[in-house]
Amino acid sequence: MQLDAKIPDGPLEEKWDNHRFSMRLVNPNNKRKFSVIVVGTGLAGASAAATLGELGYNVKAFTYHDSPRRAHSIAAQGGINAAKNYQGDGDSVFRLFHDTIKGGDYRSREANVYRLAQVSVDIIDQCVAQGVPFARDYGGLLDNRSFGGAQVSRTFYAKGQTGQQLLLGAYQALMRQVDAGSVELHTKSEMLEVVKVDGEARGIVVRNLETGEVTSHAAHAVVLATGGYASAYFLSTMAKNSNVTAAWRAHRKGAAFANPSFTQIHPTCIPQSGDYQSKLTLMSESLRNDGRIWVPADPDDERAPADIPEAERDYYLERIYPSFGNLAPRDVSSRAAKRMVDAGHGVGPRKNGVYLDFSDAVGRLGQDKIAERYGNLFEMYQKITNENPYDVPMRIYPAPHYAMGGLWVDYNLMTTIPGLFSIGESNFSDHGANRLGASALMQGLADGYFVLPYTIGDYLAPHLGESPPPTDHPAFAEAEAEVRDKVNGLLSVNGTRSVDSFHRDLGKIVWDYCGMARTEQGLEKARSEIQALRDEYHKDVRVLGENETINQSLEKAGRVADFFELAELMTIDALDRNESCGGHFREEYQTDEGEALRDDEHYAYVAAWGFEGTGEDPSLTKEHLAFENVKLATRSYK
Amino acid sequence: MDLTLRVWRQPSPDAPGSFETYPAEDIDEHASLLEMLDIVNDRLTEQGVEPIAFDSDCREGICGTCGVMVDGKAHGPMENTAACQVHLFNYRDGDTITLEPWRARGFPLRKDLIVDRSAFDEIISAGGYVSVNTGSAPEANLTPVDKGTADLAFDAAACIGCGACVAACPNGAAHLFTSAKLSQLNMLPQGQPERYARTQRMVTIMEEYFGSCTNYGECQAACPQDISIDFIAMMNKDYRKSKFRNRRAS
Ligand SMILES: Cc1cc2nc3c(=O)[nH]c(=O)nc-3n(C[C@H](O)[C@H](O)[C@H](O)COP(=O)(O)OP(=O)(O)OC[C@H]3O[C@@H](n4cnc5c(N)ncnc54)[C@H](O)[C@@H]3O)c2cc1C
Ligand code: FES
């Protein structure tokens, strides 16, 4: 496989401007001669579809949800970064760029990240103009808070519901285009194949989730904005329906999958309380602005938290990382929590958490102020745990949360299949081996509002005058047949076990061996266990009901089949990378103090994997990363 | 704990439906209502009975996908709490729980506990936005918004679009939903230019699908975000004005 990242020439600060100038344009009258399919209507997809519609393209947007407003972007709590420097605390585009590259442990592309920081400021302007009700100060101007891995306040927020407000803004912009007739919206429609004609992406095959009908849709280009795959772990902060299927089916058709093992385990989630559990709930990182994390210094201390005197508490983040303290980045904080719990300091009935304590902040600011900042999160915590966090410290523990890995894309956000683009969490582009808080919303909207709608024009321009292939083209018939075969295959196994029970078992393997800590031996074991369980799955899964009505087991069954294949690739990728970086922590590679030990000489690359068949070894192509504007350094948050 | 479920089963929109009874035994009290359904569904699958179809996604009260009538109350026994956030520690061992779909003219039934709420999207596409193309926005801090207004706009904007307000309303009205979006946009400076045209169109579409409001106030109690019925009053006021303005315009 050939990889060309298409990074523009010139100095970092000028690359995006120069590129925008040199890209081919589609003139306004010609835009309506092009049709574009956008799969996924979360932050990335809705913003892209809306913008493409405004520009005059014919857009067809697809989502398996019943409405774009349900996409999991809705659940983002804490905020969105932008280099506005409204607080005058020394922020700048370069600082945001630098923090993001460093936060990603030097495994992302400089040019992409710099562009992200540049357009971040436009995002805030756009969202405010849409009426997104960001938090404001008493002077009526926008307020900011701090997030992990940064020493400036650059995070814009709407209480603990920032993702909701941003998604609704994008959704409304999208519905405006639906109203205007420039976007045709298909809800309850799951994309199950990408269709290539002469090597280029020219359409998709979708299954209607209410009727089971399988249909083909053709266009000049296809954009995947289908979200992340952390639900491979089964228990995660993702929505129940989040899945990797769209990206995976594209991968099977030739799109390289980059850094699959780079997953983020978020430090502040409510610890697991039992085996019945269907998901884990995030408690936003923004809580670490005011909450202090600690464990009892004595592992055998059974006292209630309030009875443990200050001197017998270990505020371990403040102790180990004095300059970032409770705002150390996610990977670092998560591993520190794991070390504490593994060493027996865990708290709660299962001794599987650490405290996140607001008593100092309540004392300092008053309960009202804390309620104003985090009220809905405190309520959510209480509903789930039956404990009042104003009185008793929260208990938290890391949980799978985000996928930095995803479809490989070049600077134009195009995958290795010409005409197939990927934006938002479904691509791998900007976060390296660890994403900083509040930067996924930024990336999704940067891609959707400000990058893709322009870079796609460069791809389309030379195709002026061509029509998309008719949907009775053999390539569509073939893809439809594949979809029907898969559906019928799953319905006819008629084994003994539910889809969920398999997913749970798969998730446990991935969590145990490809989660917060990984070893060569463990990963090899995981790979063979995944293969064995996958074989069993295809022999013993039980999917009842039929194709022609709503069949949620059938929907899940197809997705879990893809998770099995992805999970194997995650272990292969983690095995390849004989270093620790960001969220990828190989126990063999650590400093004396237990911090990640990178190997820049051998591993400063993006691992782009090609599909060679289920159960076959995938092919690896390396995109070497060049760092010209930041100095590679050991990340230190001390 | 041991519970008994009475669940509405209906295989398709046109097929007749009925209540079925299933045991839900030995379930952890920390499980949520929906997690209990997951467990029951796994057991049904093992017994060869097609699992109960119900909607959910985020399972943290924010996406608005879940929604069932639980013992006759939208989202269940706790005020201002989505079904996915109701945990079994709110029940007693031995309780029987009855689950039914949202029942409203504007929400046709699809299967078992799933209804079609796309009428909400139609209301939004009739003007629930500010018309500003990407890239044409002015610098954000050039439009200060006083904190009181911004906070109130947020309270309205917090609606999760679940439809509990409609399900709880004896008239099947969608006034709380529609007024929440209208109030958010109509009170912000960004929303002024389209204020009255927006109000007129959204209310018209709303009336096409949903019933009328006679001030029962059940909607606010059922709303997971505790959206205030005061917004309905704001909408009605703007609607009256919009009629007047549109008369002048024509
Ligand atoms: C609990 C939580 C809190 C978070 N908080 C923050 C935060 O505070 N700040 C921050 O920056 N980031 C946060 N994140 C991360 C951020 O929310 C996500 O990375 C981001 O919203 C993803 O947006 P997206 O548009 O790429 O995907 P999504 O919003 O997941 O949308 C995916 C879309 O694709 C569709 N889709 C998927 N597959 C198919 C298919 N096969 N066919 C048809 N449609 C399909 C879905 O229907 C959906 O419309 C958080 C994440 C979680 C889980
Ligand atoms: S499942 Fe999202 S609100 Fe209940």
Side-chain angles (χ1 to χ4, degrees), chain B residues 61-130:
Chain B
I62 194 72
C63 72
T65 310
C66 66
V68 277
M69 296 304 272
V70 186
D71 295 325
K73 293 193 79 172
H75 284 308
M78 296 160 73
E79 284 205 349
N80 309 127
T81 304
C84 58
Q85 295 289 83
V86 175
H87 289 261
L88 297 183
F89 46 69
N90 295 296
Y91 287 89
R92 280 184 318 252
D93 203 34
D95 278 354
T96 295
I97 304 178
T98 301
L99 301 176
E100 277 178 275
W102 287 167
R103 304 233 187 242
R105 178 167 61 92
F107 292 158
L109 192 139
R110 287 282 173 254
K111 182 171 183 172
D112 295 346
L113 303 175
I114 299 179
V115 297
D116 177 353
R117 288 167 287 190
S118 53
F120 273 9
D121 289 325
E122 298 212 18
I123 295 176
I124 297 298
S125 69
Y129 44 74
V130 172

Side-chain angles (χ1 to χ4, degrees), chain A residues 18-52:
Chain A
N18 290 345
H19 189 58
R20 268 194 303 183
F21 182 70
S22 61
M23 273 188 296
R24 289 163 290 199
L25 287 178
V26 179
N27 88 39
N29 288 331
N30 284 335
K31 289 206 175 81
R32 63 192 157 76
K33 297 180 186 150
F34 287 106
S35 54
V36 178
I37 284 173
V38 179
V39 186
T41 49
L43 271 187
S47 57
T51 306
L52 290 167

Side-chain angles (χ1 to χ4, degrees), chain A residues 65 86 128 171-172 550, chain B residues 57 60 111 121 139 181 190:
Chain A
H65 283 105
Y86 283 162
V128 165
Y171 155 70
Q172 288 160 205
I550 295 175
Chain B
D57 203 21
E60 47 189 73
K111 182 171 183 172
D121 289 325
E139 152 59 40
K181 185 47 67 191
Q190 299 91 316

Side-chain angles (χ1 to χ4, degrees), chain A residues 64 188 190 192 207-213 241 486-494 497-500 537 541-560, chain B residues 9-13 41 45 48-55 110-114:
Chain A
Y64 58 68
K188 287 268 169 196
E190 183 166 32
L192 293 175
R207 179 175 173 273
N208 182 305
L209 300 183
E210 288 186 336
T211 63
E213 194 190 357
N241 297 312
K486 273 205 177 114
V487 165
N488 293 334
L490 290 165
L491 280 170
S492 61
V493 178
N494 202 14
R497 288 179 57 188
S498 71
V499 180
D500 272 354
Y537 181 73
V541 71
R542 171 178 281 191
V543 182
L544 298 171
E546 49 184 25
N547 173 51
E548 287 73 23
T549 61
I550 295 175
N551 188 337
Q552 294 170 318
S553 309
L554 179 60
E555 292 165 25
K556 283 191 273 191
R559 296 169 189 166
V560 171
Chain B
R9 303 294 314 252
Q10 181 171 338
S12 65
N41 271 345
T45 303
V49 178
E50 199 182 329
I52 303 157
F54 67 97
D55 260 339
R110 287 282 173 254
K111 182 171 183 172
D112 295 346
L113 303 175
I114 299 179

Side-chain angles (χ1 to χ4, degrees), chain A residues 39-45 62-65 68 71-80 147 162 189-192 225-228 237-238 242-243 245-246 282 284 330 401-402 423-426 435-442 444, chain B residues 60:
Chain A
V39 186
T41 49
L43 271 187
F62 295 83
T63 168
Y64 58 68
H65 283 105
H72 199 45
S73 294
I74 203 91
Q77 302 171 351
I80 176 166
F147 255 62
T162 318
S189 300
E190 183 166 32
M191 181 217 106
L192 293 175
T226 47
T237 66
M238 300 298 282
S242 298
N243 67 82
T245 287
L282 177 74
S284 167
R330 293 179 175 175
H401 173 61
Y402 182 84
I423 60 178
E425 192 175 338
S426 67
R435 175 175 70 78
L436 288 184
S439 57
L441 300 178
M442 169 172 72
Chain B
E60 47 189 73

Side-chain angles (χ1 to χ4, degrees), chain A residues 48-280:
Chain A
T51 306
L52 290 167
E54 290 164 9
L55 289 170
Y57 292 107
N58 290 304
V59 182
K60 277 187 168 191
F62 295 83
T63 168
Y64 58 68
H65 283 105
D66 66 336
S67 163
R69 66 181 299 146
R70 313 273 185 230
H72 199 45
S73 294
I74 203 91
Q77 302 171 351
I80 176 166
N81 288 329
K84 282 282 197 188
N85 195 28
Y86 283 162
Q87 307 305 321
D89 56 1
D91 200 11
S92 62
V93 166
F94 193 84
R95 186 178 292 280
L96 175 53
F97 154 76
H98 192 272
D99 285 351
T100 308
I101 289 270
K102 175 185 170 193
D105 219 355
Y106 307 96
R107 290 295 173 264
S108 48
R109 253 185 231 147
E110 281 190 344
N112 284 56
V113 176
Y114 193 84
R115 173 178 66 189
L116 175 66
Q118 277 177 306
V119 304
S120 68
V121 296
D122 301 329
I123 296 172
I124 301 304
D125 297 343
Q126 184 64 30
C127 296
V128 165
Q130 291 171 342
V132 169
F134 283 122
R136 291 179 180 264
D137 60 25
Y138 285 97
L141 301 179
L142 294 162
D143 194 19
N144 293 113
R145 54 168 59 141
S146 306
F147 255 62
Q151 288 172 310
V152 293
S153 263
R154 61 160 77 96
T155 306
F156 295 78
Y157 66 100
K159 285 212 178 139
Q161 296 169 223
T162 318
Q164 180 199 26
Q165 294 310 315
L166 294 173
L167 179 65
L168 293 180
Y171 155 70
Q172 288 160 205
L174 172 64
M175 295 316 283
R176 174 176 163 240
Q177 293 310 304
V178 171
D179 189 37
S182 57
V183 177
E184 191 182 294
L185 177 63
H186 299 255
T187 57
K188 287 268 169 196
S189 300
E190 183 166 32
M191 181 217 106
L192 293 175
E193 283 300 335
V194 169
V195 177
K196 287 198 305 191
V197 174
D198 299 331
E200 311 213 7
R202 285 290 178 264
I204 59 172
V205 171
V206 305
R207 179 175 173 273
N208 182 305
L209 300 183
E210 288 186 336
T211 63
E213 194 190 357
V214 173
T215 51
S216 290
H217 303 265
H220 291 91
V222 176
V223 181
L224 299 185
T226 47
Y229 56 80
S231 35
Y233 292 97
F234 188 76
L235 284 181
S236 76
T237 66
M238 300 298 282
K240 285 308 291 170
N241 297 312
S242 298
N243 67 82
V244 76
T245 287
W248 194 259
R249 305 272 165 107
H251 175 58
R252 292 179 63 110
K253 281 273 156 69
F257 208 105
N259 301 335
S261 71
F262 285 179
T263 50
Q264 177 161 80
I265 314 297
H266 194 295
T268 53
C269 303
I270 302 177
Q272 196 183 345
S273 61
D275 296 328
Y276 57 84
Q277 217 159 335
S278 62
K279 73 160 283 164
L280 296 169

